[in-house]
Amino acid sequence: MRYVSVVALVSLAMLSLGSASAGDAGEVAKQAYQLLKTTCYECHNSNPDAKGGYFDVLDLKSMLVKGSGNEIPYVTPGKPDKSLIYQRACVDRDMPPKKKEAQYNPEQIKLLGDWIVQNCPEVPKETEPARPILTDFAVLKAVDGYLQGLDADIRHYQRFFSLVNLHNCPPDRVTARDLRITRAALSKAINSMSWMPDIVLPKPVDGTYETVYAVDLRDLDWDDKGNGHYKWSAVASIYPYGLSYTDSNDANMRNLAIRVKGDMGTELFWIRADWFCTVATNGEPVKSPTDPQGKYDGPYHQLLAIPENIHSLEHKLGVDRQANFDRDRLARAGFNATKVGFHNRLVERHTSLYGAYWISYDFKNVSGREHSLAQSPLGPQGITHGKYAQMEFQHDGGEIVFNLPNGLQGYMLANGKGDRIDAGPADVVSDSQRTLGYTTIFNGISCMACHNLGMKPVVDEIRASSALQGAALTKVQRLYPPVSTMDKYLEKDRKRFLTAVEEATLQFLSAGSDAGKKLSEFPEPILIVAQRYSAVMTFADICNELQCKPEKLEALIQVETRLSALSGMTEKAGSINRELWQDRSSSTRSLYQKAAYSLGEGTPLDSNN
């Protein structure tokens, strides 16, 4: 490290600064973050798969630590000579690593130095104007207005998603950008659970607010057809926020609700977008609201009709693993532990009816020949018909990632026998992002959050290191292609997937202050929405969801026995888990529904409505 050069540059920067005012600091922060964004963010961002994903240049906290093998943190406030990004970009000048003309010019060097000397001020948050509070009556009016523009005989196919609960939060808690991300998450979620060939964009039906969105169930093949083919009903049956307004004391509300119910054939025709993105995308079984001992398949499995075993899924996708193994029509890469799997992992690609079909083979441990890909790279057991029986591995489970007809991806988790499972075993795989607050990998949502950019990069370690000889070695070399070949498959599959993601989400994301941004500049929307929704709820959160003043809710808690779970909570203290707020397993009514009913907001709806 050439600290003498850094100190000299820093001295010049400090002389030019003088005593900066708060306004100067704010402007320096804006310019510095814009510089880092345009020159560094492409490689150093919050995406774990980013080329230089050790830290995020737009997140000060992640820059205050030392990187692997570095003597100094990425940034030390007040000390450019102790800041690695300054050293690399302004002294060593080997970053950005593109071309010589990409190196920082003197003005940019001074700007970065000024920012660090001023203790790395963050960009001042822009104050958003307060948003008008939208009522359930406003939602009903928007729904009714949309329905009246449709033929009467197709109105019952319409369903609606609401962002009103988020819109009504103060802008400092839920920003306009948060709302845009939620819209994108909704669009990606519904299209990630559809076997139809086209991307279906939810339609805003409430004018400029864009808080109520419509979809036609037929466009997603979600309409209930009978004969055991029920999709939307599987979602509606577990929804914990449904309220009826047909017996409202407000005549306008009551009459409107009755008319909409007549058009729709149901009162449960709108659901919250954040709930849907978090819960309906989950393959974990859900408790029956009417049978404490009963459980339903997870809504993700029901909406996407995921079969109960790998063989049925492969038949649906036109994949024959055995034939492809025999004919060398697959591509493999084997390697050691990843962020998801703890031990050996093998990924395998096949061509399917709609693009690609990827399957992983994961292992609980590496003891024994059958658990070592280096010694046994020609499994799984039984696939070689005995020809290479001593070289077949025995795996403990796996993940399947496959293209849907619209280009997005579907997912399935399986055990070693090929039977579908709902969550990954903790001793085999782990969710490092804690999508739902846990390390457990749940099929559907955890996979969506992890594979936000498509298939993960893989580098095979078997082809070059295999100790096999003769025909067995030749077979390995046919199944495990060179890295360059696998990279072409990965790039092709990522492009197909990201093209579909862009169609489903970018018009929602690239708007407002984010207008003009590329897809790669945004976080995974379903992950963001799920983590927000799953967070512990404060008293303020409960008041926001109920649109109730704190003093009124405090008084209600003291007298309503049905709200005993909230006992002791006040504006200044207390919190509950989201699971408790939405749980319907011990009663047909969730805690939210009980509270809303006690406040006179509506009558709780159950799965039969």
Side-chain angles (χ1 to χ4, degrees):
M1 293 287 189
R2 297 194 292 276
Y3 293 123
V4 174
S5 300
V6 177
V7 171
L9 286 167
V10 173
S11 298
L12 290 173
M14 293 180 71
L15 285 172
S16 67
L17 277 172
S19 56
S21 67
D24 294 333
E27 186 58 34
V28 167
K30 288 181 181 179
Q31 294 182 23
Y33 274 97
Q34 185 61 33
L35 174 65
L36 294 171
K37 179 180 178 181
T38 56
T39 60
C40 307
Y41 186 70
E42 180 179 349
C43 296
H44 301 286
N45 57 57
S46 57
N47 185 342
D49 291 328
K51 294 178 182 178
Y54 313 110
F55 65 100
D56 183 344
V57 294
L58 302 185
D59 180 5
L60 182 60
K61 290 182 179 179
S62 76
M63 292 196 290
L64 298 177
V65 299
K66 295 180 181 179
S68 177
N70 294 324
E71 301 174 31
I72 55 179
Y74 296 111
V75 161
T76 300
K79 299 179 179 180
D81 60 317
K82 301 294 184 181
S83 300
L84 189 63
I85 61 169
Y86 192 93
Q87 172 71 38
R88 298 293 298 275
C90 303
V91 182
D92 295 340
R93 307 198 71 186
D94 58 350
M95 287 287 173
K98 297 175 182 178
K99 298 178 181 178
K100 187 173 182 179
E101 55 265 28
Q103 294 177 347
Y104 282 6
N105 59 39
E107 290 78 12
Q108 292 171 321
I109 292 174
K110 178 182 180 300
L111 172 61
L112 190 60
D114 288 352
W115 178 66
I116 297 174
V117 167
Q118 291 191 35
N119 293 312
C120 305
E122 297 190 72
V123 178
K125 289 186 177 180
E126 295 184 7
T127 302
E128 294 183 11
R131 296 184 290 260
I133 298 298
L134 300 179
T135 64
D136 288 351
F137 182 69
V139 176
L140 275 173
K141 284 188 65 176
V143 168
D144 180 61
Y146 180 72
L147 292 176
Q148 298 312 309
L150 302 176
D151 291 340
D153 59 350
I154 66 170
R155 292 173 186 169
H156 67 284
Y157 288 118
Q158 312 308 307
R159 293 296 183 273
F160 301 86
F161 298 92
S162 171
L163 282 71
V164 166
N165 61 295
L166 299 176
H167 167 95
N168 286 343
C169 290
D172 61 338
R173 293 175 63 84
V174 177
T175 66
R177 189 171 195 261
D178 292 329
L179 294 173
R180 294 194 295 270
I181 287 175
T182 304
R183 296 180 187 110
L186 172 64
S187 183
K188 185 176 180 181
I190 65 173
N191 285 286
S192 294
M193 295 184 286
S194 168
W195 285 97
M196 301 300 280
D198 299 318
I199 294 294
V200 177
L201 296 179
K203 304 172 186 177
V205 301
D206 63 333
T208 58
Y209 296 128
E210 297 186 354
T211 61
V212 183
Y213 284 82
V215 297
D216 189 314
L217 296 179
R218 297 169 298 173
D219 292 339
L220 300 164
D221 193 31
W222 285 359
D223 48 315
D224 298 332
K225 299 181 177 68
N227 300 319
H229 185 72
Y230 296 96
K231 291 189 175 181
W232 180 260
S233 292
V235 174
S237 67
I238 61 172
Y239 185 60
Y241 300 104
L243 296 175
S244 169
Y245 307 99
T246 55
D247 58 356
S248 173
N249 292 327
D250 183 314
N252 291 329
M253 172 76 90
R254 182 175 64 252
N255 293 335
L256 187 58
I258 291 172
R259 183 166 79 177
V260 173
K261 178 183 178 181
D263 284 335
M264 300 290 295
T266 177
E267 291 191 79
L268 196 52
F269 51 81
W270 105 62
I271 61 178
R272 285 173 43 166
D274 56 349
W275 176 89
F276 182 85
C277 292
T278 307
V279 178
T281 55
N282 195 336
E284 184 183 24
V286 293
K287 297 176 181 178
S288 167
T290 56
D291 178 7
Q293 305 303 318
K295 287 186 177 182
Y296 299 128
D297 271 353
Y300 176 77
H301 290 150
Q302 296 205 45
L303 283 175
L304 199 51
I306 299 293
E308 294 186 356
N309 58 68
I310 287 177
H311 303 297
S312 297
L313 177 63
E314 290 175 346
H315 178 73
K316 188 172 185 175
L317 294 170
V319 174
D320 188 333
R321 273 188 296 151
Q322 178 69 67
N324 290 346
F325 180 91
D326 294 339
R327 298 164 56 238
D328 304 326
R329 305 304 295 171
L330 56 82
R332 289 180 165 182
F335 39 88
N336 292 319
T338 66
K339 290 183 179 180
V340 175
F342 299 131
H343 304 295
N344 286 324
R345 185 171 234 214
L346 169 66
V347 296
E348 180 177 282
R349 183 193 186 275
H350 300 258
T351 299
S352 75
L353 291 176
Y354 309 115
Y357 174 92
W358 291 83
I359 182 170
S360 71
Y361 301 92
D362 297 308
F363 302 82
K364 289 183 179 179
N365 57 65
V366 293
S367 61
R369 175 199 58 78
E370 69 276 14
H371 295 137
S372 169
L373 287 175
Q375 299 178 66
S376 305
L378 293 177
Q381 286 188 345
I383 202 169
T384 70
H385 304 296
K387 186 175 181 180
Y388 304 109
Q390 297 303 309
M391 303 164 196
E392 293 180 343
F393 60 77
Q394 181 178 349
H395 64 293
D396 297 294
E399 175 191 18
I400 297 91
V401 181
F402 56 92
N403 282 119
L404 295 165
N406 61 19
L408 292 175
Q409 291 177 168
Y411 307 93
M412 179 175 174
L413 301 178
N415 59 24
K417 296 179 180 179
D419 296 324
R420 191 192 78 197
I421 56 177
D422 307 307
D427 54 351
V428 178
V429 290
S430 174
D431 182 353
S432 60
Q433 298 186 95
R434 294 178 173 266
T435 305
L436 296 178
Y438 314 101
T439 57
T440 303
I441 288 182
F442 298 103
N443 191 38
I445 188 167
S446 299
C447 306
M448 294 178 194
C450 179
H451 291 280
N452 62 309
L453 297 178
M455 289 302 299
K456 299 289 186 180
V458 295
V459 177
D460 174 59
E461 301 172 358
I462 302 301
R463 179 183 176 89
S465 62
S466 177
L468 303 184
Q469 297 179 348
L473 177 59
T474 300
K475 186 69 174 177
V476 166
Q477 292 173 338
R478 289 174 178 167
L479 299 181
Y480 295 78
V483 172
S484 59
T485 300
M486 186 62 90
D487 284 346
K488 290 179 181 178
Y489 285 132
L490 287 166
E491 181 60 28
K492 177 182 179 181
D493 295 343
R494 283 198 204 101
K495 184 176 181 180
R496 178 190 297 109
F497 172 69
L498 291 175
T499 297
V501 174
E502 184 171 300
E503 183 180 353
T505 66
L506 195 57
Q507 79 168 46
F508 299 107
L509 292 170
S510 186
S513 60
D514 291 320
K517 290 184 178 179
K518 298 181 293 184
L519 182 66
S520 59
E521 296 182 68
F522 295 99
E524 163 52 46
I526 293 177
L527 173 64
I528 298 299
V529 171
Q531 289 181 334
R532 173 189 290 275
Y533 178 83
S534 302
V536 171
M537 300 181 66
T538 64
F539 192 80
D541 293 327
I542 294 173
C543 290
N544 279 328
E545 294 212 352
L546 294 168
Q547 281 303 295
C548 175
K549 293 185 179 300
E551 57 272 17
K552 184 175 182 180
L553 184 57
E554 285 185 11
L556 188 66
I557 291 172
Q558 294 178 13
V559 299
E560 281 283 8
T561 57
R562 62 168 64 98
L563 302 183
S564 59
L566 300 178
S567 178
M569 290 191 69
T570 68
E571 186 176 4
K572 297 181 179 180
S575 62
I576 62 170
N577 291 324
R578 173 66 70 173
E579 288 88 344
L580 179 61
W581 186 237
Q582 67 179 12
D583 181 47
R584 291 176 59 196
S585 61
S586 60
S587 169
T588 57
R589 297 179 174 185
S590 68
L591 185 54
Y592 165 84
Q593 289 175 314
K594 294 175 183 178
Y597 181 67
S598 298
L599 290 165
E601 296 298 321
T603 302
L605 286 170
D606 60 30
S607 59
N608 297 316
N609 296 107

